[in-house]
Amino acid sequence: MFEHKKIRTLDDFFEKLDGRPGRGVYFYRICGYTQEVGRFVRKYYQAAGRSGVILEGKIPNPNEKNLSYYQEIMGGDFQFSQGFISASLKKWLPRMNDGQRENVAASMYDALAELRRAGKNENMLKNAYIKFMCWLYYKFERMVNLLGNQDVPKILCEGEVGRYELTLLSILSRAGCDIALLQYRGDENYRKLDAASELSDCLEIPGGAGFPEGFCLGKIREEIQSALRMERLYGQRPQIQNCTNAWIAGKGLEDIRTAVGARGSDARFFYNCYCQINGVEDKLTYLNELYQFQLELKNAGRKLVIVNGGVPRPTMEEINGVRRKNYKDQEQMLMDLSGNISHTANSELQRLMIQAFLDVMRMEGERDAANLNQRTNKAVYLLCWLKRYQGTLFGGWKMPDINCFVHMGACRDGKEALFLQLLARLPVDVLILNPEGGEGSLQDDLLYQVNYVETLSVREFPQEETGAHMGTAAYHAERELDSLMYQDTGMYRERQYGKANVVVLQTMYEEIKLLWNEELKYRPNFSTVEGVVNIPVIFAKVSGVKGGQISQYWQSIRELITEDAYVVKNPPFIDASAENPMKAHAVEFLKNGKVHKSKIKSHPKYPYGYLREEAQDYILEKLQMLIDRKSIRGMFQNGTEYTVVSTILNLPMEIVRMIQKFDFTKKNPKLLYIHTGEAVISLEDSIVTAFLNLIGFDIVFFVPTGYETIEKHFNGRIMEEHQIGEYVYDLRTPTLESFPKWVDKIFKRGR
């Protein structure tokens, strides 16, 4: 049998058997922790995994199935003799050679003899013997044929062992294996079983402390398995790595201008810059500095990619070009998708691309626990963008080339941020220019940020091919004054806002006249929020004639007719039988409840192409809102939604001009609709009225008869109704616009 020996260093465990003093074995218990112990345990774990046994926790007692199988093979005989034990081992564990079997038999016999001296009777010895035999078969069979080899087999176990577990470990140790026992709670309980440390030695650990919280063999197993998975996932690693920003002086554009050869000379690294500049140092010189910057890079032979406002989304063609499958987990997804990365001209660069892609996607998986489909979509975007730009950035690449990628504007979303993180880990300078200041979506420990107080609105990077636009000092001074005067001051410049939402006011009838000529900014509930104006408007029906006074009734209407008002006196306003060239195309303009704006704008019969772009977008946005609200009866039931589309795309010229002229902070356009007869207002008039309300018109219906008019075509009550007096019938509408007010006062009668 083998003798226990003392170690000099932990590395002695890994010596060949013949290289050890007296060809001995080691059985040590470890009760404290240092970094050296941690390194040893991980190395020992791998050795035990190759040729030995790892016990996470206690050895479970043989169960009924184990005992039944033992009885079936070995029967119930037991003799307290080394010969009997040896013969039994030959049948029970046939892979052991004669020398191994004799060592195990002798060691087990000595252990049983010790139990006998401790007072155990024959039956107890038999039970202990059967337990040892079952443990050897079910837990240690894979290593018993390695006992005594030059590569000494190893057992690694943890926790507090019981008496019989310690006895079996001692049997195996003396038969020719090393054992390391990790005792997280110290040595006290072990000493109750082996007070003199005869069976094992306690490792002396100078400066040792308790084991870290959560330290266990299961965690080590997970770490090793993870490392193996990563090795399989990454494949052959690149020989060069990025040295990002470690060499820079922190001067932004100046750092990127630095010649590649002046950045560093270690052939193991490429030296790139990854920088975001927030704000501007000097408004007057900013654009000129950028213009000169890109010229200098081009003159130095460095390739440059510039994106303005955001990286254009991948096209369907690009997305379909990414080979992908259905995946069960992130590891499988990344391993498969990384196969799309190809740079046949330079295998080292291809390995760098794969490594950068896997690194950022794994970081994203740790940061964001989104579902696998969402992470797959992000990965596909990265692959599309990498393929799109790699020809320019890396075509003909060789060490130590560094080209440049410029993102004009802050990152708008997480996908863009991931792409910039990926590029920053490749041999390319990545520059994010955010002259307007504020925070974007990019968060990265590698990123260096330069911050300036001044800000400037810049839409495009100034380049030769796009035409550079640079402001004078007076221009920038005017922009600053503009910001001071028209931001949160209650003052507004001409057409400062391009979007508006409508708030319908609930008023008394008498308030209509008071509010009618008032600018919107002075009305109650007016506000501006994040570039959108909330405009309070009047949308009302006036039924009856106050006091039955006809002349006063017409006079009250005449007082509302301003230069911004459109008057409808002879309904219908929109003749349903009139030619409408948009009717034939309404079906193609509206799909699944969504207005196809681009298709409408590009159509040869689109009637609003001469308007300001903002006005066109505003009209189509409110058309979509009218569709979404389903204010008109019959929508998505009998095809009324197509009538809505064709009607709004064929408005009278006077109404279109009023919309084009409309400034959301000043007086709004008006619509007066006078209906004195019995006919119900047409569907088209109802559509136009509901639409103009969303645009921001003040709208008042005067109905002296009190009849139901526009309500017939509306879903629900969308306007306020004022009952002001008795109903009057058979009135004829006078010539309100040209009828002098003094004449009406003299004759006191209506027309």
Side-chain angles (χ1 to χ4, degrees):
M1 291 187 293
F2 292 85
E3 292 184 3
H4 288 172
K5 299 295 181 180
K6 302 287 187 181
I7 63 169
R8 294 161 298 178
T9 70
L10 288 169
D11 285 336
D12 289 348
F13 271 94
F14 307 108
E15 291 287 343
K16 301 286 188 181
L17 184 61
D18 285 344
R20 299 182 178 190
R23 299 181 80 250
V25 294
Y26 306 121
F27 185 176
Y28 271 83
R29 54 190 191 275
I30 303 174
C31 304
Y33 185 84
T34 62
Q35 288 187 348
E36 178 65 14
V37 168
R39 181 197 65 79
F40 163 76
V41 171
R42 285 167 174 79
K43 185 175 181 181
Y44 193 91
Y45 185 103
Q46 291 175 309
R50 289 191 300 268
S51 58
V53 171
I54 299 168
L55 300 173
E56 295 183 17
K58 299 180 73 65
I59 307 175
N61 284 323
N63 56 35
E64 291 185 6
K65 186 177 180 181
N66 301 151
L67 295 172
S68 176
Y69 181 70
Y70 176 82
Q71 292 288 341
E72 180 183 342
I73 301 299
M74 304 299 295
D77 293 340
F78 171 71
Q79 295 177 25
F80 179 57
S81 73
Q82 185 173 329
F84 173 81
I85 296 173
S86 179
S88 298
L89 287 171
K90 186 173 184 179
K91 182 178 181 181
W92 185 237
L93 296 168
R95 291 208 298 162
M96 285 194 293
N97 61 36
D98 293 341
Q100 292 165 341
R101 185 165 53 254
E102 289 306 316
N103 282 337
V104 173
S107 184
M108 188 183 298
Y109 177 80
D110 287 350
L112 292 174
E114 185 63 30
L115 291 175
R116 190 175 198 179
R117 287 191 293 272
K120 303 298 182 183
N121 59 35
E122 192 78 8
N123 192 54
M124 291 177 176
L125 294 180
K126 177 181 179 180
N127 289 339
Y129 163 78
I130 293 174
K131 176 178 286 192
F132 294 153
M133 294 291 276
C134 285
W135 277 346
L136 286 172
Y137 182 84
Y138 288 107
K139 282 295 182 182
F140 299 96
E141 195 277 338
R142 70 183 294 264
M143 64 161 283
V144 291
N145 64 315
L146 304 175
L147 292 168
N149 283 0
Q150 282 297 313
D151 289 320
V152 182
K154 292 169 172 42
I155 297 174
L156 177 61
C157 46
E158 63 183 353
E160 298 172 354
V161 295
R163 182 174 301 277
Y164 289 101
E165 289 175 290
L166 179 57
T167 300
L168 179 65
L169 292 175
S170 179
I171 291 170
L172 290 169
S173 175
R174 287 182 291 170
C177 75
D178 292 331
I179 299 176
L181 170 61
L182 307 179
Q183 297 191 137
Y184 305 135
R185 298 182 181 179
D187 205 32
E188 183 179 352
N189 287 330
Y190 178 89
R191 291 284 190 172
K192 295 175 183 178
L193 304 177
D194 181 20
S197 290
E198 294 177 350
L199 302 181
S200 68
D201 295 298
C202 185
L203 181 67
E204 294 182 6
I205 308 175
F211 282 89
E213 184 71 24
F215 186 94
C216 65
L217 296 182
K219 185 175 181 181
I220 293 174
R221 169 173 44 79
E222 291 174 0
E223 291 174 355
I224 292 174
Q225 289 174 349
S226 177
L228 290 173
R229 288 197 301 271
M230 290 306 101
E231 185 177 343
R232 184 172 63 251
L233 178 62
Y234 281 84
Q236 184 179 351
R237 296 274 189 161
Q239 295 179 355
I240 57 173
Q241 296 295 327
N242 58 306
C243 178
T244 303
N245 292 346
W247 54 273
I248 66 173
K251 296 182 179 179
L253 297 182
E254 195 62 35
D255 291 322
I256 295 179
R257 285 190 180 103
T258 302
V260 174
R263 297 180 177 189
S265 57
D266 193 327
R268 296 174 301 170
F269 301 102
F270 59 84
Y271 297 86
N272 68 326
C273 182
Y274 180 25
C275 178
Q276 177 166 317
I277 303 177
N278 301 308
V280 300
E281 186 175 14
D282 188 325
K283 292 182 179 180
L284 186 58
T285 63
Y286 181 73
L287 290 175
N288 184 58
E289 185 177 9
L290 294 185
Y291 186 72
Q292 295 300 324
F293 166 78
Q294 57 96 20
L295 287 180
E296 288 181 32
L297 292 189
K298 290 179 179 178
N299 290 337
R302 294 175 61 187
K303 298 174 183 177
L304 189 66
V305 169
I306 298 173
V307 296
N308 292 301
V311 185
R313 295 287 186 260
T315 64
M316 286 307 300
E317 183 180 0
E318 288 176 315
I319 291 173
N320 291 334
V322 176
R323 301 185 307 275
R324 58 192 182 276
K325 305 172 185 174
N326 294 322
Y327 307 110
K328 64 179 182 181
D329 55 39
Q330 175 169 287
E331 182 180 333
Q332 184 190 57
M333 177 263 287
L334 293 180
M335 183 173 290
D336 182 62
L337 288 182
S338 62
N340 287 276
I341 298 174
S342 175
H343 193 84
T344 55
N346 192 306
S347 57
E348 181 69 1
L349 182 57
Q350 178 171 312
R351 287 191 285 267
L352 279 170
M353 290 178 176
I354 293 172
Q355 177 176 273
F357 170 72
L358 295 174
D359 283 348
V360 297
M361 284 306 304
R362 287 180 58 234
M363 286 191 295
E364 178 66 11
E366 294 172 1
R367 220 174 16 235
D368 182 6
N371 65 49
L372 187 60
N373 284 337
Q374 291 176 338
R375 275 175 283 162
T376 302
N377 291 339
K378 291 178 181 179
V380 169
Y381 266 57
L382 295 191
L383 294 170
C384 290
W385 284 331
L386 182 60
K387 185 176 181 180
R388 179 193 298 172
Y389 296 115
Q390 73 178 43
T392 303
L393 291 174
F394 305 113
W397 179 87
K398 62 185 182 304
M399 277 288 284
D401 291 350
I402 299 289
N403 293 315
C404 188
F405 184 93
V406 179
H407 188 287
M408 191 70 196
C411 277
R412 59 187 178 184
D413 61 31
K415 294 187 181 73
E416 277 191 358
L418 278 178
F419 182 57
L420 295 179
Q421 290 175 46
L422 185 153
L423 287 181
R425 287 153 175 82
L426 296 174
V428 59
D429 286 337
V430 177
L431 174 63
I432 303 99
L433 296 171
N434 183 22
E436 297 186 20
E439 295 183 1
S441 300
L442 181 58
Q443 300 292 328
D444 193 344
D445 293 338
L446 276 184
L447 180 66
Y448 181 81
Q449 301 206 43
V450 178
N451 296 295
Y452 295 111
V453 175
E454 298 290 335
T455 61
L456 185 66
S457 177
V458 181
R459 292 187 177 181
E460 293 189 353
F461 191 101
Q463 301 178 72
E464 290 177 294
E465 56 268 27
T466 60
H469 297 266
M470 302 182 191
T472 63
Y475 172 84
H476 292 299
E478 184 185 32
R479 298 282 74 77
E480 286 186 4
L481 182 62
D482 189 72
S483 298
L484 290 172
M485 290 184 63
Y486 302 121
Q487 289 187 9
D488 303 319
T489 62
M491 299 173 62
Y492 304 96
R493 66 174 181 268
E494 292 293 323
R495 294 181 177 82
Q496 181 172 342
Y497 297 95
K499 293 185 177 183
N501 291 323
V502 166
V503 179
V504 177
L505 293 173
Q506 292 181 311
T507 68
M508 300 293 290
Y509 166 67
E510 290 75 13
E511 289 182 287
I512 293 177
K513 180 179 178 181
L514 297 175
L515 294 170
W516 195 254
N517 283 315
E518 201 170 56
E519 289 190 3
L520 293 170
K521 62 185 177 184
Y522 299 127
R523 287 185 179 182
N525 301 303
F526 174 88
S527 64
T528 59
V529 180
E530 296 182 354
V532 179
V533 189
N534 294 314
I535 52 178
V537 301
I538 298 166
F539 191 21
K541 174 184 176 183
V542 179
S543 295
V545 177
K546 192 172 184 177
Q549 301 294 317
I550 304 300
S551 60
Q552 292 180 10
Y553 178 71
W554 294 125
Q555 179 60 28
S556 66
I557 296 175
R558 188 175 291 115
E559 290 172 351
L560 299 180
I561 301 176
T562 64
E563 61 178 343
D564 296 318
Y566 191 95
V567 183
V568 178
K569 296 183 296 184
N570 300 302
F573 174 39
I574 304 295
D575 187 353
S577 62
E579 182 182 359
N580 182 345
M582 306 311 293
K583 281 185 179 180
H585 309 288
V587 174
E588 60 185 286
F589 292 158
L590 184 69
K591 298 288 185 183
N592 299 320
K594 296 300 178 183
V595 175
H596 287 224
K597 298 178 183 178
S598 58
K599 184 172 288 188
I600 292 174
K601 285 185 174 182
S602 62
H603 197 276
K605 292 190 177 180
Y606 173 56
Y608 304 143
Y610 57 88
L611 298 180
R612 289 181 299 114
E613 191 72 26
E614 282 186 349
Q616 295 181 52
D617 291 339
Y618 189 63
I619 289 172
L620 296 178
E621 176 189 323
K622 296 307 179 184
L623 171 57
Q624 181 65 65
M625 186 176 292
L626 183 61
I627 297 290
D628 292 340
R629 290 189 177 183
K630 300 178 181 155
S631 304
I632 309 299
R633 287 182 184 173
M635 290 179 64
F636 301 102
Q637 296 176 359
N638 56 20
T640 301
E641 64 272 16
Y642 300 116
T643 304
V644 171
V645 172
S646 61
T647 300
I648 300 307
L649 292 178
N650 191 47
L651 293 172
M653 179 62 70
E654 298 93 327
I655 296 296
V656 174
R657 288 175 176 174
M658 293 172 80
I659 296 174
Q660 161 86 355
K661 180 183 175 183
F662 184 18
D663 188 333
F664 300 143
T665 63
K666 296 181 172 56
K667 290 183 180 180
N668 59 329
K670 326 287 184 184
L671 177 68
L672 295 174
Y673 198 114
I674 303 167
H675 189 231
T676 60
E678 281 75 25
V680 175
I681 289 176
S682 69
L683 170 62
E684 287 74 13
D685 282 12
S686 300
I687 291 170
V688 170
T689 302
F691 173 74
L692 294 182
N693 166 244
L694 296 179
I695 288 287
F697 278 54
D698 282 337
I699 301 171
V700 181
F701 282 81
F702 285 95
V703 186
T705 61
Y707 289 151
E708 182 178 273
T709 54
I710 198 168
E711 297 93 332
K712 178 180 176 62
H713 299 293
F714 285 163
N715 282 319
R717 180 181 175 185
I718 65 172
M719 65 168 61
E720 191 78 7
E721 182 173 8
H722 302 284
Q723 298 284 346
I724 65 170
E726 63 183 87
Y727 297 149
V728 178
Y729 307 100
D730 301 323
L731 287 180
R732 287 185 302 139
T733 305
T735 310
L736 296 169
E737 293 89 337
S738 59
F739 192 78
K741 295 181 180 179
W742 63 270
V743 173
D744 188 47
K745 289 179 181 178
I746 293 176
F747 292 98
K748 302 290 183 183
R749 64 188 179 85
R751 300 280 180 95

